[in-house]
Amino acid sequence: MAYQIQYVSGASTYDLSTPQPNFMVHYLGDENFGMAPMHLITSRSPVQHGDTTLDFRLDPRILQIPILVECETLQQQYDMRNTLLAMFKPSNTDGTLIVTYPDGNERHILTRILGGLDFNMDTSAGYSIRAVIRMRCSDPTWYNPNQYTLPIVTISGTATAYPKIYPTTYGTTTFGGSFNLTYAGTWISYPIITVTGPVTNFSITNSSSGQNITLLTGTVIGAATTLRFDLRYGYKTVTNQAGVNQIGLVSANSELAQFAIFPAPDVPDAINTLVVTGTATTTASSVALSYYDRYIGI
């Protein structure tokens, strides 16, 4: 399979790497697809030489994609300019840049158009268009578009006679046990956790990182009730099946902002051990975790 770059905006998908009869575009390379930009957080005392590094944060990523569009006449050039401006006009909705490797694996990143396409022209060099598409990525990490959804609990009681790969559990008393998730990404992934009742005193802990989410003591998630913990940045919400805010049920010592799936070396061998507890469950009770493998660059 050939290397391919596509841009998705709404229901439209544009191929930037494959010349077509009505759009003879040539991909000329890319900039800033690798390591995400970042900065260090430091402190410095009045008499300190140098400084002390405390932490770091990733910064938004600016992508640049230079292209060449073949044009044989001035009219064709203006037609192609209109086409490009329609494809890459600014929007308040994220687009998606998709890179497909020669082996067929894909990496996606959410973008907003930042500019470029100024079409500075020198007709002595012909009518073909050389331009740069500029995009800004508020989240600078790439992701595998295949979302993983995993059941992460067992229920004490009558055990299954064979393993199940979908979130169906058996028993009558409590959640118990742990689940080892080996993470394939190279950057932190913030999951969505879906809890279906009945269950009392629910909690989930990533014992590899020490982070937990715990509901207030005595909290009951009723039968046929669902709590959805959306831990992605820009969301960080807890809602029920009707979309009503339930964040007041979460204890003060919970780590909604930090709870995540971690790569190595943040946790040894990228193994995230997830422990779920809860009482008063039935065979209808379940917990599922959904996440994407995320990457610091490609």
Side-chain angles (χ1 to χ4, degrees):
M1 185 173 184
Y3 181 78
Q4 188 176 44
I5 293 184
Q6 298 170 293
Y7 176 68
V8 178
S9 178
S12 300
T13 299
Y14 306 109
D15 189 340
L16 304 181
S17 53
T18 306
Q20 301 170 37
N22 61 344
F23 186 52
M24 293 296 292
V25 63
H26 298 271
Y27 158 74
L28 301 180
D30 53 63
E31 295 182 20
N32 301 327
F33 279 29
M35 179 68 72
M38 49 85 69
H39 69 275
L40 296 177
I41 299 172
T42 64
S43 68
R44 187 172 188 172
S45 68
V47 296
Q48 181 178 358
H49 297 288
D51 58 19
T52 301
T53 301
L54 303 176
D55 207 341
F56 70 94
R57 295 290 184 271
L58 301 186
D59 293 322
R61 183 192 295 270
I62 307 299
L63 302 178
Q64 298 196 123
I65 304 174
I67 60 172
L68 169 69
V69 181
E70 293 183 38
C71 302
E72 295 181 356
T73 67
L74 184 59
Q75 183 60 52
Q76 186 181 23
Q77 185 196 79
Y78 275 102
D79 290 343
M80 289 300 98
R81 287 164 69 148
N82 287 337
T83 296
L84 288 168
L85 291 169
M87 288 179 179
F88 299 107
K89 63 180 179 293
S91 171
N92 287 323
T93 302
D94 286 334
T96 304
L97 188 68
I98 302 173
V99 175
T100 303
Y101 295 166
D103 65 4
N105 283 313
E106 294 183 4
R107 297 292 181 263
H108 293 202
I109 192 167
L110 298 181
T111 70
R112 297 285 178 99
I113 298 301
L114 189 59
L117 301 179
D118 48 18
F119 299 137
N120 296 324
M121 183 174 65
D122 179 3
T123 55
S124 66
Y127 295 113
S128 293
I129 300 169
R130 289 182 179 271
V132 176
I133 304 163
R134 301 184 74 234
M135 303 177 179
R136 184 181 188 274
C137 310
S138 297
D139 182 341
T141 63
W142 299 79
Y143 63 95
N144 182 331
N146 297 317
Q147 186 181 51
Y148 300 96
T149 299
L150 305 172
I152 54 174
V153 298
T154 57
I155 298 181
S156 62
T158 304
T160 59
Y162 52 92
K164 307 285 276 187
I165 61 172
Y166 51 87
T168 299
T169 49
Y170 293 84
T172 57
T173 53
T174 64
F175 287 148
S178 62
F179 181 92
N180 286 337
L181 187 160
T182 301
Y183 180 56
T186 60
W187 187 249
I188 302 163
S189 184
Y190 296 95
I192 296 172
I193 302 168
T194 304
V195 184
T196 301
V199 58
T200 300
N201 294 331
F202 169 78
S203 74
I204 181 170
T205 301
N206 185 338
S207 62
S208 299
S209 66
Q211 298 167 341
N212 82 94
I213 297 173
T214 303
L215 298 187
L216 295 171
T217 301
T219 297
V220 176
I221 302 174
T225 298
T226 298
L227 281 192
R228 187 175 189 266
F229 300 81
D230 190 339
L231 305 182
R232 296 172 297 168
Y233 266 94
Y235 296 86
K236 301 297 182 186
T237 58
V238 182
T239 56
N240 63 15
Q241 70 274 16
V244 177
N245 182 13
Q246 301 292 307
I247 203 165
L249 300 179
V250 179
S251 68
N253 67 341
S254 295
E255 294 160 295
L256 285 176
Q258 296 85 16
F259 192 98
I261 307 302
F262 289 90
D266 297 333
V267 298
D269 300 318
I271 298 174
N272 292 259
T273 300
L274 304 173
V275 180
V276 175
T277 61
T279 61
T281 61
T282 71
T283 57
S285 308
S286 67
V287 180
L289 180 142
S290 301
Y291 70 97
Y292 294 99
D293 290 337
R294 303 200 72 92
Y295 299 89
I296 191 69
I298 63 170

